[in-house]
Amino acid sequence: MATFLIVPAAGSGARLKSPLPKALVPVLGHAILSWTLEALAPIPFDRVVVAAPPDRMPDFERLLRGKAAVVAGGATRSASVRRGYQALGAHPDDFVCIHDAARPLITAEEAQSVLVAAKASGAATAGTPIVDTVKRVEGERIVATIDREGLYAAGTPQVFRASLLGRAFDTGREATDEAGLLELLGVAVTAVPVSRWNVKVTSPEDLELVEALLKRRRKD
Ligand code: CTP
Ligand code: MG
């Protein structure tokens, strides 16, 4: 039974408004992708596959220097993950961990806790309990307040037994994350709480936050 890592890194980062693909944007002198892989390095994955923008493959290969296989990503995050999965040629009993390149603040301990949960149940995702009061808004008008009890913001890592993930892909259905695809199949997915630091670098202010936190961790 092998454990693989897929890192979707093929997005352009439109909301970050950077000329570089988001995964290559430097923070404290290193690409976001490098920080992310460094954070997960203590976990002995059997193979790591990074999905890169098809027109930037050489840049990613140069950065990774053989430490991970690079595959051409697709037009959407889920298409990129699928391409990474195809490249693995996983056995049904293997486990596949998916972690966004854009989440460099994940810790190996947190990723390990998601792996442990998935190995027990077949499927698990990291998430953070919602702390704000959640409103549904139409136009400018609030139309509902949603009870936040039990609400989680789903993030990554997401870890699945390959047989379940493969079956979910085979349905050809779409969901916003792989956990959602498995839910459509009726598979129970375990929610594993992780720290709110596990932000996804999305907008320029997230970069400031990530830089400050990485600086602090480097000193610790
Ligand atoms: N991703 C990917 N392939 C895509 C789109 C996204 O592999 N076609 C990856 C991103 O590189 C990122 C993760 O999925 O690591 C989460 O996506 P997101 O934060 O939305 O990144 P971008 O799509 O690059 O950002 P934006 O939506 O602002 O363009
Ligand atoms: Mg996106």
Side-chain angles (χ1 to χ4, degrees):
M1 184 203 76
T3 305
F4 301 118
L5 173 64
I6 298 172
V7 179
S12 63
R15 286 168 289 181
L16 198 59
K17 300 186 179 74
S18 157
L20 278 175
K22 184 157 77 181
L24 297 182
V25 168
V27 177
L28 302 177
H30 299 283
I32 291 175
L33 174 62
S34 301
W35 286 108
T36 303
L37 291 174
E38 172 83 13
L40 296 176
I43 299 181
F45 289 108
D46 292 280
R47 202 131 49 90
V48 180
V49 174
V50 172
D55 59 337
R56 302 301 290 256
M57 302 275 287
D59 298 321
F60 279 69
E61 275 156 5
R62 210 173 306 123
L63 180 75
L64 297 168
R65 283 178 292 129
K67 281 187 269 182
V70 183
V71 299
T76 61
R77 179 187 176 282
S78 71
S80 296
V81 172
R82 279 171 207 237
R83 290 193 179 183
Y85 181 74
Q86 284 158 2
L88 286 174
H91 182 275
D93 293 336
D94 294 338
F95 280 84
V96 180
C97 175
I98 301 159
H99 184 67
D100 291 332
R103 294 182 190 270
L105 295 177
I106 190 67
T107 67
E109 292 74 23
E110 288 172 326
Q112 191 61 44
S113 66
V114 184
L115 277 160
V116 166
K119 284 179 180 173
S121 71
T125 178
T128 47
I130 303 265
V131 293
D132 295 314
T133 296
V134 180
K135 309 278 189 191
R136 183 176 303 285
V137 178
E138 285 174 9
E140 291 182 332
R141 180 159 176 256
I142 293 172
V143 294
T145 297
I146 296 155
D147 182 6
R148 81 170 162 243
E149 179 64 30
L151 283 190
Y152 260 63
T156 68
Q158 302 201 343
V159 183
F160 310 104
R161 183 176 294 123
S163 54
L164 293 172
L165 187 58
R167 189 146 64 87
F169 285 150
D170 287 345
T171 63
R173 294 175 76 174
E174 290 291 332
T176 51
D177 65 356
E178 287 64 45
L181 265 189
L182 267 76
E183 291 159 40
L184 290 174
L185 284 178
V187 172
V189 182
T190 308
V192 179
V194 299
S195 155
R196 289 175 69 200
W197 293 139
N198 185 34
V199 291
K200 181 161 66 71
V201 175
T202 305
S203 53
E205 57 263 44
D206 296 326
L207 270 186
E208 285 184 52
L209 179 73
V210 164
E211 183 175 315
L213 288 164
L214 287 174
K215 211 178 259 177
R216 196 183 72 184
R217 281 189 194 173
R218 213 162 53 170
K219 283 199 206 107
D220 288 347

